[in-house]
C-alpha cells in the first residue's frame, strides 16, 4: 500500500479539532493521527468517541511541553494546530492562559516543526484584523493589516506573527488560515449559538450582550474542516487563506432565527451588559481560497443548520 502519512493534531479534543479528525479519517485512509490535547475545561475526550483506535492515538499533554512535543513530532510528517484558549470572555477575566497556550504554545510547536522539517498549519481567526464599522460593506482580506483589539485576538495575532517569522527566517513549510465564527456539532456551550439553544431549552430567554447589533460572519464547521484539509494538502507554502461563507448576521437576527426554529415567541430574549471592547463586525473576503483551491461553502442554509443543531443539543 501507500506510505502512511502521520499527522499530529493538537487541540483535537475541542470543537473544530474533533470535527477535523473525523473528516480526515473518512477522507483519507492513508492518514494516521496522533492527537495531543491538554483536556482543559474546553476539551472532552467524548468529542472523539468512536474515533480513537488504530488510526487515531490520543495523548493527554500540553503544547507548551517541549520534551513531549519533540518526542511526538519526531515521528510525524505534518502538524495542524487547533490547541488554543478560544473564548473572548475568559480572556477578559484572566488573560494569562491565552498568553501561555496561544503564544508560547505556538512557539514551542514551531521549534519542533523546524527541527523535524514538518508540514505545519496554524488555525487562526478573523479577529486578528480587528473589527469593521457596523455600516461598512468592506471585508478584510489576506493583505489587511493586523489590528487585534482584545486579549484573545492579540494572542492569536501574536501566534500568527511567529508563524510568519518562522516561514521567512527559517524556511519552515507552513500555512495559516483565518476563519470566521464557526458553529455546528460539539461546540462548547460557552459560545453564542449553543449558549442560546441551551438557555431556550431550559425555558430561559436568549441573552444578548449590549444592544445585540454586533455582526458575525457564520461558517458551518464542516465547511471549515474541508477547507483545512484542502489547504494542508494543496495550499501554497507561506500563504494565508481566509475562510468565510459570506453569512453575515447580527446577534439579534440569529436569536430571532433560533426562536422561529424552536416555535418560541419572537421577543423571548433579553439584554445584558456589553462585552468590554466588544468588536462590532467581522467579515472576510473568501476569493483567494475559491480561486486557488476551488473551495466553496456547501452548508450555507443557516435556518436548516440551526434546526439540525436544536435537534442535536
Ligand atoms: P475549543 O476551545 O473548543 O478547543 C480547544 C482545544 O484545545 C480543547 O480541546 C483544549 O483542551 C485544547 N487545549 C487548550 N490548551 C491546550 C494546551 N496548552 N495544550 C494542548 N491542548 C490544549 O476551540 P475551537 O473552537 O475548536 O477552536 C480551535 C481553534 O480555532 C483555535 O485556535 C481558535 O482560536 C480557532 N478559531 C475558532 C473559531 C470558532 O468560532 N470556534 C473561529 C476562528 C478560529
Ligand atoms: O451569551 C452571549 N450573548 C451574546 O450576545 C454570548 C456567549 C455571546 N454574545 C455575543 C458576543 C459576540 O458578538 O455573540 C457574539 C459571538 O460571541 P462568541 O460566541 O463569544 O464568539 P466571538 O467573540 O465572536 O469569537 C468567536 O469567533 C472567533 C470564537 O469564540 C473565537 O474563538 C473565534 O476566533
Amino acid at each position: 500500500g501507500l506510505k502512511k502519512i502521520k499527522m499530529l493534531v493538537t487541540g483535537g479534543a475541542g470543537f473544530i479539532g474533533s470535527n477535523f479528525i473525523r473528516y480526515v479519517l473518512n477522507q483519507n485512509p492513508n492518514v494516521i493521527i496522533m492527537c495531543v490535547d491538554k483536556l482543559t475545561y474546553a476539551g472532552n475526550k467524548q468529542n472523539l468517541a468512536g474515533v480513537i483506535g488504530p488510526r487515531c492515538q490520543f495523548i493527554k499533554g500540553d503544547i507548551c511541553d517541549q520534551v513531549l512535543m519533540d518526542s511526538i513530532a519526531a515521528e510525524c510528517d505534518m502538524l495542524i494546530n487547533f490547541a488554543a484558549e478560544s473564548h473572548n470572555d475568559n480572556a477578559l477575566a484572566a488573560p494569562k492562559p491565552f498568553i501561555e497556550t496561544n503564544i508560547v504554545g505556538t512557539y514551542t510547536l514551531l521549534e519542533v516543526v523546524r527541527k523535524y522539517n514538518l508540514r505545519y498549519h496554524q488555525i487562526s481567526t478573523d479577529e486578528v484584523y480587528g473589527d469593521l464599522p457596523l455600516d461598512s460593506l468592506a471585508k478584510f482580506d489576506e493583505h489587511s493589516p493586523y489590528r487585534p483589539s482584545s486579549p484573545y485576538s492579540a494572542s492569536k495575532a501574536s501566534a500568527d506573527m511567529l508563524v510568519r517569522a518562522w516561514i521567512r527566517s527559517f524556511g519552515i513549510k507552513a500555512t495559516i488560515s483565518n476563519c470566521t465564527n464557526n458553529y455546528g456539532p460539539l461546540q462548547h456551550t460557552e459560545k453564542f449559538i449553543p449558549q442560546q439553544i441551551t438557555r431556550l431549552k431550559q425555558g430561559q430567554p436568549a441573552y444578548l450582550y449590549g444592544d445585540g447589533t454586533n455582526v458575525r460572519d457564520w461558517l458551518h464547521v464542516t465547511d471549515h474542516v474541508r477547507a483545512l484539509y484542502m489547504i494542508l494538502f494543496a495550499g501554497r507554502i507561506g500563504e494565508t487563506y481566509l475562510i468565510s461563507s459570506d453569512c453575515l448576521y447580527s446577534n439579534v437576527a440569529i436569536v430571532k432565527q433560533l426562536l422561529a426554529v424552536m416555535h418560541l415567541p419572537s421577543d423571548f430574549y433579553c439584554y445584558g451588559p456589553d462585552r468590554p471592547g466588544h468588536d462590532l463586525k467581522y467579515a472576510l473576503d473568501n476569493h483567494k481560497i475559491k480561486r486557488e483551491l476551488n473551495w466553496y461553502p456547501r452548508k450555507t442554509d443557516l435556518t436548516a443548520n440551526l434546526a439540525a443543531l436544536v435537534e442535536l443539543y
Side-chain angles (χ1 to χ4, degrees), residues 2-23:
L2 284 167
K3 188 188 170 293
K4 297 287 184 201
I5 301 164
K6 261 202 170 178
M7 187 188 288
L8 172 50
V9 179
T10 52
F15 164 48
I16 304 172
S18 61
N19 277 281
F20 177 77
I21 288 176
R22 274 207 178 72
Y23 178 81

Side-chain angles (χ1 to χ4, degrees), residues 29 92 111 188 216 218 243:
L92 292 162
E111 283 295 82
H188 196 281
R216 296 293 182 264
W218 292 98
I243 311 169

Side-chain angles (χ1 to χ4, degrees), residues 86-89 125-127 152 180-182 190-193 195-196 207-209 214 216 218 251 275 278-279 282:
S86 68
H87 194 46
N88 268 301
D89 294 324
T125 169
D126 55 6
E127 299 191 24
Y152 164 73
T180 62
N181 283 56
N182 282 222
E190 69 191 357
K191 302 298 196 303
F192 181 59
I193 289 176
Q195 171 70 211
Q196 304 318 320
Y207 185 91
L208 292 164
Y209 296 172
N214 302 62
R216 296 293 182 264
W218 292 98
N251 295 337
R275 176 184 276 170
H278 199 173
D279 280 345
Y282 305 133

